[in-house]
């Protein structure tokens, strides 16, 4: 996240045991997984509690060089997204009393008749048995509503570590032979399978073995399981980043530092949004908000960090980093917090809110740990979300 931490993070990757992973050794943990194969069981086998605990905050690409231009998911016909206008229209999210959030498209009922009707007897001397129709495969069992923790009392602008919320977590990945992480959160979508992070976290063709772990803490590494980022037939992770961010780099295209990723079901076959809920994507909401809740996973901390404060508009005067960004003053958000959600109108009952930004953008999130930035969520981010929705739907 922070450009001032690049050298420190790279040096730490060479010194911390378990951080970097061997690349060339046969049979090493970082050996490439076969194209198209990356299930929840494989992700859980790879991302052990020890490896997750030793993962390091991902350093951003050097500001003077654009990140590697990696192949984007194949272009697919766009379909209308569930939120078409830049208005804060909420997408339904699960309530504690409900076992799962409403699906945007009708699904077959899991209720089956206890017994199929028996065919009427016929007077023929040698009756032919009537074949019994096959019952449809059962749908995944609904997850219980996540237990939403009560947030601690907050002083505006002062961050503190806490036990996390189900909708936000760590995004683990392997890049350049090292085990790293950023922050990510679930965003509501028709397929209930999209997570949101910063583009600089997921940029590069060497980004592999990507998995999202909701409400990760060192004490409880997988309280809601693990959700692998889906791969296509060529073995590429299904991640949507604006092409201009890929080609122009982290500074010139800082206003587009946003990424969506499609995650597969957990080991029990359940979509992530069914298990933990999802935030509502809101675009075109302006820069100034009276109170935004900021969540991120800082450096080597064992727990995530929480803060609430107002946001203001920041317009860069640096010609190398053009654009206007959301800015929030919250103490203690160093590397690792990149991709953490800016949540407006946080609902303590559901543990979700309106996501109006993610830590990133100007200097990949800021040059000090006490002030964070976000790319503005406008028409470009809405279009990127719509592409992700269409792509995730077509791949099912």
């Amino acid at each position: 996240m922070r450009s001032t931490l690049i050298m420190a993070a790279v040096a730490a990757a060479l010194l911390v045991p378990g951080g970097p992973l061997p690349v060339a050794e046969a049979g090493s943990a970082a050996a490439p997984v076969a194209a198209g194969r990356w299930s929840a069981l494989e992700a859980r086998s790879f991302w052990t509690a020890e490896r997750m605990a030793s993962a390091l905050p991902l350093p951003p690409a050097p500001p003077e060089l654009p990140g590697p231009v990696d192949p984007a998911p194949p272009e697919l016909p766009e379909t209308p997204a569930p939120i078409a206008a830049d208005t804060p229209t909420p997408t339904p999210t699960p309530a504690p009393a409900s076992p799962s959030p409403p699906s945007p498209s009708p699904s077959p009922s899991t209720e089956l008749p206890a017994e199929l009707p028996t065919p009427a007897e016929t007077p023929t001397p040698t009756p032919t048995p009537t074949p019994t129709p096959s019952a449809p495969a059962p749908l995944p069992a609904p997850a219980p509503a996540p237990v939403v923790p009560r947030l601690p009392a907050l002083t505006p602008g002062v961050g503190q570590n806490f036990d996390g919320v189900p909708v936000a977590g760590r995004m683990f990945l392997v890049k350049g032979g090292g085990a790293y992480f950023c922050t990510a959160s679930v965003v509501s979508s028709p397929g209930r399978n999209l997570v949101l992070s910063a583009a600089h976290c997921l940029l590069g063709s060497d980004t592999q073995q990507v998995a999202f772990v909701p409400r990760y803490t060192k004490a409880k590494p997988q309280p809601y399981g693990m959700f692998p980022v889906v791969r296509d037939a060529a073995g590429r992770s299904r991640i949507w980043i604006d092409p201009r961010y890929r080609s122009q780099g982290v500074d010139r295209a800082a206003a587009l530092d946003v990424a969506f990723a499609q995650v597969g079901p957990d080991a029990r076959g359940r979509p992530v949004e069914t298990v933990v809920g999802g935030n509502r994507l809101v675009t075109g909401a302006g820069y100034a908000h009276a109170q935004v809740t900021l969540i991120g996973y800082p450096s080597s901390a064992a727990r995530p960090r929480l803060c609430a404060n107002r946001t203001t508009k920041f317009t860069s005067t640096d010609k190398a980093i053009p654009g206007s960004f959301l800015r929030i003053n919250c103490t203690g958000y160093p590397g690792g917090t990149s991709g953490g959600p800016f949540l407006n109108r946080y609902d303590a009952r559901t543990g979700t809110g309106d996501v109006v930004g993610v830590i990133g953008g100007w200097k990949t999130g800021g040059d000090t740990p006490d002030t964070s930035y976000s790319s503005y969520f406008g028409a470009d981010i809405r279009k990127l979300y719509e592409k992700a929705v269409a792509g995730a739907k077509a791949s099912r």
Side-chain angles (χ1 to χ4, degrees), residues 14-371:
L14 300 175
L15 299 174
V16 178
L21 300 173
V23 180
E25 296 179 10
S28 72
V33 175
R37 293 183 64 241
W38 184 235
S39 68
L41 291 176
E42 289 165 323
R44 289 176 63 178
S45 176
F46 181 86
W47 288 109
T48 62
E50 294 75 17
R51 179 163 289 145
M52 287 190 285
S54 66
L56 300 173
L58 181 71
E64 67 276 11
L65 294 175
V69 179
D70 53 326
E75 290 295 326
L76 297 161
E78 295 190 21
T79 57
I83 308 173
D86 285 346
T87 57
T89 304
T91 300
T93 54
S98 173
S100 64
S103 172
S105 57
S107 356
S109 170
T110 56
E111 296 295 328
L112 297 175
E115 161 178 338
L116 294 170
T118 305
E121 295 184 1
T122 60
T124 55
T126 54
T128 302
T130 303
T132 304
S134 304
L139 294 174
V147 177
V148 179
R150 189 170 184 175
L151 300 187
L154 297 173
T155 300
V158 178
Q160 60 178 288
N161 293 350
F162 77 126
D163 288 332
V165 292
V167 79
R170 273 192 184 188
M171 181 78 92
F172 291 96
L173 56 104
V174 169
K175 182 187 285 285
Y180 298 101
F181 72 88
C182 276
T183 303
S185 59
V186 183
V187 59
S188 286
S189 67
R192 297 177 287 172
N193 57 0
L194 290 182
V195 295
L196 170 67
S197 190
H200 74 265
C201 289
L202 298 172
L203 191 68
S205 57
D206 61 339
T207 301
Q208 300 293 331
Q209 277 99 330
V210 191
F212 173 66
V213 182
R215 203 183 173 188
Y216 169 88
T217 64
K218 189 173 181 180
K220 295 182 179 179
Q222 293 186 48
Y224 294 98
M226 183 176 291
F227 299 84
V229 170
V230 173
R231 292 175 176 173
D232 62 20
R236 298 172 300 196
S237 298
R238 296 195 62 79
I239 296 167
W240 287 266
I241 296 173
D242 192 293
R244 290 167 291 178
Y245 194 84
R246 298 180 186 276
S247 61
Q248 297 175 23
V250 300
D251 282 349
R252 179 61 57 183
L256 300 169
D257 192 3
V258 178
F260 295 94
Q262 178 186 356
V263 295
D266 65 6
R268 294 176 58 185
R270 302 172 302 180
V272 64
E273 192 179 337
T274 299
V275 178
V276 300
N279 295 313
R280 297 164 295 278
L281 178 72
V282 173
T283 57
Y287 296 84
H289 302 280
Q291 179 170 297
V292 161
T293 301
L294 190 67
I295 299 171
Y297 280 81
S299 300
S300 57
R303 299 188 298 164
R305 195 159 182 84
L306 175 72
C307 179
N309 206 354
R310 67 190 183 96
T311 60
T312 57
K313 182 177 182 179
F314 168 78
T315 299
S316 174
T317 58
D318 186 342
K319 293 181 179 179
I321 315 175
S324 294
F325 307 86
L326 277 74
R327 176 173 56 189
I328 187 169
N329 292 322
C330 274
T331 59
Y333 283 76
T337 58
S338 286
F342 282 55
L343 297 179
N344 193 30
R345 300 196 302 182
Y346 176 81
D347 186 339
R349 183 178 60 88
T350 64
T352 63
D354 296 341
V355 59
V356 294
V358 294
I359 297 176
W362 191 75
K363 295 194 175 180
T364 60
D367 53 0
T368 73
D370 297 338
T371 301

